[in-house]
Amino acid sequence: MHHGGTRLTVRAALVTAVTAVALVTVSPVPAPAATAPAPALFDRSPVRVPATAAPVAERRVSVPSVPGRAAYLYDASTGTVHLSKQAGKRMPVASLTKVMTAYVVLRQAKLGDTVTIQAADVRHAAANGATHASLRAGERLTVRDLLYAVMLPSGADASHALARVYGPGDTKFVAKMNATARSMGLVDTRYANADGLPKPSPGYSTALDQAKLADLALRDPLLRAIASTRRHVVAKSKVHRAHSWTNSNKLLGKTPGVMGLKTGYTRAAGYCLSFAADRDGHRLVGVILGESNADRRFQSATRLLDWASGQTLPEL
């Protein structure tokens, strides 16, 4: 009797430990709304613990620190929130704004449409000291190529040209951005321009809202393909120069499963990053805002993805 009772006690202790770990991985912050109901966060079937299993406590890894002002990471496949730090705090998000710009353009433009670059587009980027795609007045490029120019080198000249054509004009285009944000349930987001620059106003959003946007944007196959591209080359033609744009996202090609999404920086916003990766059948989506070090945002994102992908309990 004593020997059998010992086995039952050990089994109960292990089951309790597994249950405790499952609860630790889920933050109380509400998960982003999904277009389809998220599956249950817990498997209510009996937990099976093999006799040879290593103690669960030894497999647990502490949550990586994120120095940025705000951060959010969740599993878009299940709705599980892995990390929430100041996730609902409104703040500028710099060029993460361009994710919405690209999304709105894709909803109404034909990819083969041609846009003529104007001097105002080039001046907009130069006057604001913004990143650009080296466009020149008079060039004619397709919407498809300009979307690469927006998402890879974060060209403010390209985003200005697209907003000018598909607003038409900045004011109407920004109205479309905000209407789309409302339709997505981004209740703490207000866009003031198509690129996130400080003038006339940077607008604001939150880490939570930007994670929702990243998830929805990545459901568009073309936007996902663009955001995942490390380098895009446009051959010279009769109507435009040759262009070669490199993605500013340093996670691509280095962190397993990563598919983008966007970098950003202004003095007020700090270094920002929205990112996502597919790991073991789960899509992990995250955002880091207000980082003070350009490279550390990528290091933090990599650690978060590695940590979160290990939080799913193995089949026992």
Side-chain angles (χ1 to χ4, degrees):
M1 284 294 293
H2 177 72
H3 184 62
T6 300
R7 287 201 304 269
L8 289 173
T9 301
V10 170
R11 180 180 181 86
L14 286 171
V15 170
T16 301
V18 170
T19 304
V21 172
L23 292 174
V24 168
T25 63
V26 182
S27 165
V29 178
T35 55
L41 298 184
F42 299 102
D43 180 0
R44 299 187 183 277
S45 59
V47 178
R48 303 185 303 279
V49 182
T52 57
V56 173
E58 293 181 7
R59 298 201 302 266
R60 231 167 82 186
V61 180
S62 60
V63 182
S65 64
V66 183
R69 291 167 57 199
Y72 191 77
L73 179 71
Y74 82 110
D75 185 333
S77 305
T78 64
T80 303
V81 178
H82 288 292
L83 173 73
S84 181
K85 174 185 177 181
Q86 297 264 71
K89 184 176 178 61
R90 293 177 176 181
M91 58 185 72
V93 297
S95 286
L96 300 197
T97 298
K98 295 187 178 93
V99 176
M100 180 61 84
T101 297
Y103 188 89
V104 170
V105 170
L106 277 170
R107 304 276 77 74
Q108 61 183 100
K110 295 180 180 179
L111 297 177
D113 287 351
T114 300
V115 173
T116 301
I117 305 303
Q118 296 184 357
D121 304 323
V122 179
R123 282 198 307 269
H124 173 76
N128 288 284
T131 51
H132 57 83
S134 300
L135 303 180
R136 289 184 182 175
E139 287 191 281
R140 293 166 54 197
L141 292 108
T142 64
V143 167
R144 180 192 293 271
D145 284 334
L146 285 175
L147 287 172
Y148 277 98
V150 167
M151 295 296 291
L152 273 61
S154 200
D157 44 2
S159 59
H160 189 273
L162 288 169
R164 173 175 52 77
V165 173
Y166 291 101
D170 291 343
T171 301
K172 290 183 178 180
F173 190 83
V174 170
K176 291 177 180 179
M177 294 172 69
N178 285 319
T180 303
R182 288 192 298 272
S183 72
M184 291 178 170
L186 309 186
V187 296
D188 290 304
T189 296
R190 177 187 173 276
Y191 293 107
N193 52 49
D195 44 42
L197 289 169
K199 297 179 181 180
S201 165
Y204 58 78
S205 188
T206 66
L208 173 58
D209 275 6
Q210 288 301 298
K212 291 180 184 177
L213 173 60
D215 176 32
L216 292 170
L218 288 170
R219 297 183 193 184
D220 185 294
L222 180 61
L223 192 47
R224 184 170 65 248
I226 291 173
S228 303
T229 300
R230 297 175 66 183
R231 185 168 175 262
H232 182 70
V233 175
V234 181
K236 181 180 179 180
S237 77
K238 294 180 180 179
V239 295
H240 59 70
R241 301 157 56 232
H243 292 281
S244 178
W245 298 310
T246 301
N247 202 317
S248 57
N249 187 349
K250 294 183 180 180
L251 296 178
L252 293 171
K254 296 181 180 180
T255 304
V258 164
M259 62 190 74
L261 178 68
K262 190 75 188 68
T263 63
Y265 171 79
T266 64
R267 185 175 299 177
Y271 293 99
C272 303
L273 178 67
S274 60
F275 58 96
D278 283 341
R279 299 277 185 93
D280 299 322
H282 294 260
R283 176 159 294 176
L284 301 172
V285 181
V287 172
I288 295 172
L289 302 178
E291 171 61 79
S292 60
N293 182 286
D295 287 333
R296 192 164 58 193
R297 58 184 161 169
F298 301 114
Q299 297 162 3
S300 294
T302 298
R303 286 195 298 269
L304 285 173
L305 289 171
D306 290 344
W307 167 76
S309 62
Q311 294 309 295
T312 303
L313 288 174
E315 289 294 326
L316 298 176

